[in-house]
């Protein structure tokens, strides 16, 4: 893997030879591990130039707008696969055979219920708590329910934790919503598909069980597939970093959920809708576009831009198509959705956004679809977390299977050098 070498010349010292590593795709990587013996570190805030691990799960080429899981292009998975099949590929490296698929689906369905005691835990939260705050707590709390299978060095324990997480996330997400709405919690129905079951737990009540609209279930499943994994983004890196300490998988995923919550990451789908509220009317779009371009104004157009995709976000392309399908199926005539479409059109043609390659990202369209389905805005990032759990846990399992070191970045210290302690009466 390392046949080329780079040479680093540090003034006044002998040149340092650094191996250049090549993956199966993507740019070469200079292996700087030897630098620590030279008494120097690399400096890379935001990790713009740093690979922190080796992985076989997901590949992204941001310039070409490519996203592949286990080599399968996201467009093919979104069109031909379903979420549980995609989870299987993320976890085990291959698409399942028919037999493996049936077995995996059955296994996930066997674990959809959560311990009844979780309801008491949920009842401790305020009804108006943000569902992401509740999810951080609930997922972390799962570790209190499965003491018997938390040995990270045992592959079977890692396996069962992965299945439990994938199976229980929709149940817990819907529990959060029902709790905030003051409605009874709906138990999972294992005769339904993963996406249908989620919509059932969200929208049905014990008084009335409506049939799930297949177009909405398909759209939901697509949203899950498109969010299933995304290489070493902020939340996945958080899961790996937390995992590198030996923390249990539920604690690691809770940490990932916390990282995802931020508006620059998964919180963007919710932020898109909040922004549309703020813009209010098509007549205000120009004013907000001007605010987004103004460097002295912190306002950003939420749902636009991406750290890696500098051409287009391939997930957004598929999501736009699904968005059109859902809006035409539901015949929605919502002014906010019209506003979103107008905003997209104006931003796409504006030189500021064109020059900086700021295209609508996956969160722009997913927010609109989720709103059209009737999912409250505060649940949007929860749905992202639900779907991303597969990727997080696949990356966590890979880290354990391949071997790891505790993650410990270094720093450039720019604070005071040593000085003496002053007693209180001598301080100014
Ligand atoms: N609105 C206005 N200007 C923007 C935006 C935006 N949404 N995004 C980037 N810019 C500008 C930025 O000011 C900078 O301009 P200049 O070169 O004149 O200084 C230029 O574009 C490059 O931006 P950057 O901040 O260097 O890009 P980044 O890679 O550090 O940030 C980002 C990427 C996603 C954090 C950012 O584009 C952003 O905050 N977007 C809005 C939030 C959002 O939609 N996030 C969801 C990402 S997709 C889901 C996920 O994977 O988590």
């Amino acid at each position: 893997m390392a046949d080329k070498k780079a040479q680093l010349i540090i003034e006044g010292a002998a040149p340092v030879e650094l191996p250049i590593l090549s993956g199966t795709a993507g740019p070469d990587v200079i292996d700087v591990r030897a630098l620590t013996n030279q008494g120097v570190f690399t400096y890379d805030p935001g990790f713009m130039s740093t690979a922190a691990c080796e992985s076989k799960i997901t590949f992204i080429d941001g310039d070409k707008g490519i996203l592949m899981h286990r080599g399968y292009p996201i467009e093919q998975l979104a069109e031909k696969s379903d979420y549980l099949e995609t989870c299987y590929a993320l976890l085990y490296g291959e698409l399942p055979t028919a037999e493996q698929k049936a077995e995996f689906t059955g296994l996930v369905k066997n674990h959809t219920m959560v311990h009844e005691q979780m309801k008491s835990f949920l009842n401790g939260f305020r009804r108006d708590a943000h569902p992401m705050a509740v999810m951080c707590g609930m997922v972390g709390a799962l570790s209190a329910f499965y003491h018997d299978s938390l040995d990270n060095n045992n592959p079977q324990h890692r396996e069962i934790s992965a299945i439990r997480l994938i199976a229980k996330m929709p149940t817990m997400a819907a529990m959060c919503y029902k709790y905030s709405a003051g409605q009874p919690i709906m138990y999972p129905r294992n005769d339904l598909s993963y996406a249908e079951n989620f919509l059932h737990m969200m929208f049905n009540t014990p008084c009335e069980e409506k049939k799930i609209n297949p177009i909405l279930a398909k759209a939901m499943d697509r949203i899950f597939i498109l969010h299933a994994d995304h290489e070493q983004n902020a939340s996945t890196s958080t899961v790996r970093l937390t995992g590198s300490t030996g923390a249990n998988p539920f604690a690691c995923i809770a940490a990932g959920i916390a990282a995802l919550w931020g508006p620059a990451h998964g919180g963007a789908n919710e932020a898109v809708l909040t922004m549309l509220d703020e813009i209010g009317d098509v007549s205000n779009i120009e004013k907000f576009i001007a605010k987004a371009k103004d460097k002295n104004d912190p306002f950003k157009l939420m749902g636009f831009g991406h750290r890696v995709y500098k051409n287009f976000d391939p997930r957004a392309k598929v999501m736009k198509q699904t968005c059109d399908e859902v809006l035409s199926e539901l015949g929605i005539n919502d002014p906010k959705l019209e506003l979103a479409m107008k905003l997209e059109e104006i931003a796409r043609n504006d030189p500021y956004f064109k020059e900086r390659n700021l295209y609508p990202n996956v969160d722009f369209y997913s927010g609109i679809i989720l709103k059209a389905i009737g999912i409250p805005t505060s649940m949007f990032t929860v749905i992202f977390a639900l779907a991303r759990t597969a990727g997080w846990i696949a990356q966590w399992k890979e880290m354990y299977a391949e071997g790891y070191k505790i993650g410990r970045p270094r720093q450039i210290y720019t604070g005071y050098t040593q000085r003496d302690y002053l007693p209180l009466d001598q301080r100014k």
Side-chain angles (χ1 to χ4, degrees), residues 13-14 24-25 33 56 93 133 143 164 182 185 322 332 383 391 400 402:
T24 47
R33 281 176 290 185
K56 296 182 176 61
S143 44
R164 281 182 172 137
I185 281 155
T322 307
I332 287 199
I383 286 168
Y400 265 89
E402 308 263 314

Side-chain angles (χ1 to χ4, degrees), residues 90-356:
L90 290 172
L91 286 169
Y92 308 114
E94 298 294 338
L95 284 171
T97 60
E99 200 183 322
Q100 287 165 335
K101 186 171 177 174
E103 194 189 329
F104 181 70
T105 305
L107 193 57
V108 170
K109 286 187 173 178
N110 269 342
H111 288 276
T112 48
M113 283 205 298
V114 295
H115 196 290
E116 276 295 289
Q117 206 62 23
M118 278 294 252
K119 279 197 203 163
S120 312
F121 184 64
L122 180 65
N123 283 334
F125 286 97
R126 285 171 56 131
R127 293 264 176 194
D128 61 356
H130 194 287
M132 280 298 274
V134 181
M135 284 301 279
C136 288
M138 297 248 285
V139 173
L142 286 178
S143 44
F145 289 87
Y146 299 110
H147 313 276
D148 58 335
S149 48
L150 289 182
D151 176 3
N152 287 352
N153 296 316
N154 180 333
Q156 279 162 347
H157 285 196
R158 301 202 295 265
E159 186 60 33
I160 191 62
S161 297
I163 299 290
R164 281 182 172 137
L165 277 157
I166 292 170
K168 293 181 201 307
M169 283 300 279
T171 314
M172 290 188 294
M175 281 169 81
C176 286
Y177 169 58
K178 289 295 194 188
Y179 182 67
S180 68
Q183 290 181 12
I185 281 155
M186 294 298 287
Y187 286 104
R189 265 187 47 194
N190 292 348
D191 58 320
L192 299 176
S193 74
Y194 193 86
E196 285 169 340
N197 176 47
F198 177 61
L199 292 175
H200 153 74
M201 291 187 291
M202 284 289 291
F203 295 119
N204 280 336
T205 67
C207 318
E208 194 178 4
E209 281 212 13
K210 289 191 211 125
K211 200 172 162 344
I212 306 298
N213 179 328
I215 296 203
L216 301 192
K218 188 171 159 231
M220 202 69 243
D221 195 67
R222 235 178 218 180
I223 289 180
F224 292 158
I225 295 175
L226 294 176
H227 286 90
D229 192 44
H230 211 229
E231 206 225 53
Q232 308 308 322
N233 55 82
S235 57
T236 304
S237 298
T238 302
V239 169
R240 278 189 180 256
L241 190 59
T242 313
S244 79
T245 69
N248 74 67
F250 303 108
C252 295
I253 303 303
I257 294 174
L260 186 76
W261 194 356
H265 192 7
N269 53 13
E270 178 176 346
V272 169
L273 270 285
T274 313
M275 173 189 75
L276 292 176
D277 276 338
E278 209 184 333
I279 298 177
D281 187 76
V282 176
S283 61
N284 295 326
I285 291 182
E286 290 298 344
K287 193 172 90 198
F288 278 87
I289 296 263
K291 270 165 77 64
K293 295 188 212 171
D294 180 357
K295 292 287 161 236
N296 299 317
D297 191 321
F299 177 81
K300 275 191 170 178
L301 222 47
M302 299 315 287
F304 281 77
H306 199 273
R307 167 57 65 82
V308 183
Y309 297 119
K310 297 301 180 195
N311 191 345
F312 65 92
D313 179 344
R315 303 166 301 170
K317 259 193 172 175
V318 181
M319 205 62 106
K320 180 167 169 43
Q321 188 197 332
T322 307
C323 185
D324 294 343
E325 277 167 30
V326 168
L327 296 188
S328 91
E329 163 71 12
L330 297 177
I332 287 199
N333 204 358
D334 182 330
K336 210 185 275 187
L337 299 179
E338 278 171 34
L339 176 62
M341 292 306 154
K342 192 77 193 153
L343 179 69
E344 180 210 4
E345 188 193 316
I346 293 177
R348 268 184 186 280
N349 293 311
D350 188 293
Y352 172 94
F353 291 89
K354 281 167 79 174
E355 279 157 22
R356 288 170 180 75

Side-chain angles (χ1 to χ4, degrees), residues 83 165-166 169 228 253 257 384-394:
Y83 179 66
L165 277 157
I166 292 170
M169 283 300 279
I253 303 303
I257 294 174
F384 192 156
L386 182 173
R388 184 56 58 84
T389 295
W392 287 332
I393 201 67

